[in-house]
């Protein structure tokens, strides 16, 4: 039996992550701001990972560029894992694997000539989802005019044309280690969040539906041969059961982990580190739920700091951030906590009224 601690490389860890890595018994090496000025990030990650023979390269921050650097470095250091990632990222390959295995079957066709793609769309019942393989772009084509606009845009080929899945949409965050797939959280999106909310955690699912969603996600990861690292899977709960709509590797920088923290007090980073160390992970049930909404005041000016601070001080508001919105400016993204989805909807309505008042006052 090998009792040597698992070796990990942490890119720009904050104090909480660095402390947690030590507390759970991992052997960690950091790359911080000072280190990153000496050479390109990807080059440093590869060199450091090889020097210290680490088993994982981890980054828990919000920079998409650094997430991509970690992915590229991991492909170089761990080439066997890269093959599974390629299967998950290629919509044509993934859909073929799933349909042939009878898991999350979705009507789909892979097309290479652009004229053939247009012909398929013109003869299929709309709406349809079109996924371009090279750019990982997803378009929802809803009518004949949309078909013409899509074709006139010279989309890169090949593409996958899939049926549009009807039903509540779910975001499933998972982390795999040594082939074991751990579902970190299931967040409700469109159709699965209360009125006025964009996201809800935990998703309001029956025990049967929750088990089915977890099962289909784990099956997808098994079929792709994925064994290590985080994945986001978008699932639609159709009348025929859960169906996988998309898989993102690495997961995009999103709000779902913050919703989990707001509802449970649980840090995703700590849970992942515990998994790597082989330590038991506390699984507290959410004592409350957390809902997220984007607040658009209709103005072209970015929200002022004092308005954001006042909104943050509003009762039951857990977090407020400024995120990119229309017109190239920032919108307020707010998270509220409540005892139930219905209560969360009421609190979001109060927050919207408060935000409207604050925005009117600045004009």
């Amino acid at each position: 039996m090998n009792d040597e601690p698992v070796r990990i490389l942490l890119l720009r860890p904050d104090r909480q992550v660095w402390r947690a890595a030590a507390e759970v018994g991992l052997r960690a090496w950091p790359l911080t701001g000072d280190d990153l000025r000496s050479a390109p990030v990807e080059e440093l990650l590869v060199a450091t990972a090889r020097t210290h023979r680490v088993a994982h390269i981890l980054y828990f921050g919000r920079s998409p560029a650094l997430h991509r650097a970690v992915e590229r470095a991991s492909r170089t250091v761990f080439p066997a894992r890269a093959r599974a990632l390629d299967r998950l990222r290629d919509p044509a390959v993934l859909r073929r694997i799933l349909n042939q295995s009878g898991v999350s079957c979705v009507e789909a066709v892979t097309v290479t000539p652009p004229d053939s793609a247009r012909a398929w769309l013109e003869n299929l019942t709309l709406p349809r989802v079109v996924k371009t393989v090279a750019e990982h772009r997803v378009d929802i084509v809803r009518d004949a005019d949309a078909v013409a606009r899509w074709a006139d845009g010279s989309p890169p080929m090949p593409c996958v044309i899939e049926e549009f899945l009807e039903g509540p949409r779910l975001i499933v965050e998972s982390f795999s280690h040594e082939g074991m797939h751990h579902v970190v959280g299931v967040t409700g999106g469109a159709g699965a969040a209360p009125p006025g909310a964009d996201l809800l955690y935990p998703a309001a699912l029956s025990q049967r539906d929750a088990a089915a969603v977890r099962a289909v996600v784990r099956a997808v990861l098994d079929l792709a041969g994925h064994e290590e690292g985080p994945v986001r899977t978008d699932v639609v709960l159709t009348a025929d059961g859960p169906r996988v709509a998309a898989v993102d590797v690495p997961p995009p920088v999103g709000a779902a982990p913050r919703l989990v923290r707001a509802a449970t007090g649980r840090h995703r980073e700590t849970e992942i580190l515990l998994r790597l160390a082989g330590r038991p992970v506390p699984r507290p049930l959410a004592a409350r739920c957390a809902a997220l909404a984007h607040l658009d005041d209709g103005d072209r000016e970015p929200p002022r700091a004092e308005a954001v601070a006042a909104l943050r001080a509003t009762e039951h508001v857990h977090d407020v951030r400024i995120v990119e919105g229309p017109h190239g400016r920032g919108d307020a993204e707010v998270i509220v906590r409540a005892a139930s989805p219905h209560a969360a909807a009421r609190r979001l309505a109060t927050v919207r009224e408060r935000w409207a008042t604050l925005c009117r006052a600045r004009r």
Side-chain angles (χ1 to χ4, degrees):
M1 181 176 177
N2 185 8
D3 293 327
E4 182 181 353
V6 175
R7 296 166 170 249
I8 62 172
L9 173 58
L10 293 171
L11 176 59
R12 297 183 69 175
D14 61 24
R15 274 187 242 177
Q16 184 259 332
V17 167
W18 183 249
R19 185 168 55 249
E23 288 174 352
V24 303
L26 296 170
R27 190 169 181 188
W29 284 266
L31 276 180
T32 61
D34 291 339
D35 302 314
L36 301 179
R37 283 190 281 272
S38 63
V41 177
E42 183 180 343
E43 181 181 314
L44 278 171
L45 289 170
V46 170
T48 308
R50 285 174 168 167
T51 297
H52 297 292
R53 296 178 289 112
V54 304
H56 297 274
I57 304 172
L58 300 174
Y59 171 63
F60 296 115
R62 293 174 56 84
S63 167
L66 292 183
H67 277 287
R68 288 192 294 270
V70 168
E71 183 198 7
R72 291 192 298 268
S74 297
R75 286 175 173 274
T76 301
V77 179
F78 313 114
R81 300 178 194 175
R83 290 189 285 274
L85 297 181
D86 289 338
R87 286 189 284 271
L88 288 170
R89 294 190 70 187
D90 188 318
V93 171
L94 182 61
R95 187 57 66 195
R96 183 174 67 250
I97 291 173
L98 296 180
N99 284 353
Q100 288 178 351
S101 66
V103 173
S104 184
C105 293
V106 170
E107 181 183 309
V109 59
T110 300
V111 184
T112 299
D115 291 343
S116 296
R118 181 166 188 163
W120 273 99
L121 288 170
E122 289 174 340
N123 286 281
L124 289 169
T125 302
L126 300 177
R128 291 282 158 167
V129 178
V130 184
K131 302 176 179 177
T132 55
V133 174
E135 293 185 349
H136 304 287
R137 174 179 139 191
V138 178
D139 294 291
I140 299 176
V141 179
R142 299 186 180 276
D143 52 35
D145 289 341
V147 171
R149 288 194 299 271
W150 178 84
D152 291 343
S154 301
M157 293 287 114
C159 71
V160 183
I161 302 173
E162 297 184 352
E163 65 177 295
F164 179 80
L165 298 171
E166 299 278 1
R169 311 190 84 78
L170 307 168
I171 299 170
V172 184
E173 302 270 354
S174 63
F175 183 81
S176 302
H177 178 50
E178 296 181 343
M180 295 293 291
H181 312 302
H182 309 282
V183 174
V184 179
V186 181
T187 301
D198 298 311
L199 297 173
L200 173 74
Y201 179 87
L205 300 174
S206 67
Q207 288 188 349
R208 179 177 179 178
D209 285 341
V213 168
R214 286 175 165 80
V216 76
V217 168
R218 290 181 174 125
V220 168
L221 299 177
D222 277 339
L223 288 167
H226 181 70
E227 295 190 345
E228 302 286 345
V231 175
R232 166 178 157 162
T233 308
D234 290 357
V235 177
V236 179
L237 195 56
T238 73
D240 297 319
R243 297 290 184 268
V244 172
V247 176
D248 283 305
V249 187
V253 180
R258 289 192 287 122
L259 282 168
V260 175
R261 184 180 303 180
T264 67
R266 195 176 73 232
H267 291 251
R268 180 190 63 160
E269 299 91 333
T270 301
E271 178 171 342
I272 288 173
L273 296 174
L274 285 167
R275 298 282 186 197
L276 291 176
R279 301 274 290 273
V281 178
R283 301 291 293 182
L285 295 175
R288 61 179 74 200
C289 66
L292 177 146
H294 293 90
L295 309 180
D296 181 0
D297 61 8
D299 201 344
R300 290 179 177 270
E301 296 298 322
R304 292 182 180 176
E306 56 266 30
V308 173
L311 187 64
R312 189 174 284 122
T314 303
E315 188 178 10
H316 305 303
V317 169
H318 172 74
D319 188 25
V320 180
R321 298 191 181 187
I322 302 303
V323 297
E324 184 178 349
H327 313 303
R329 63 170 177 80
D331 283 343
E333 182 184 81
V334 60
I335 294 176
V336 300
R337 291 187 289 197
S340 69
H342 182 66
R346 291 200 312 270
R347 288 177 179 172
L348 280 176
T350 300
V351 166
R352 287 184 187 279
E353 291 177 4
R354 172 70 169 151
W355 183 243
T357 300
L358 291 168
C359 292
R360 283 195 301 269
R362 80 182 191 194
R363 292 177 184 142

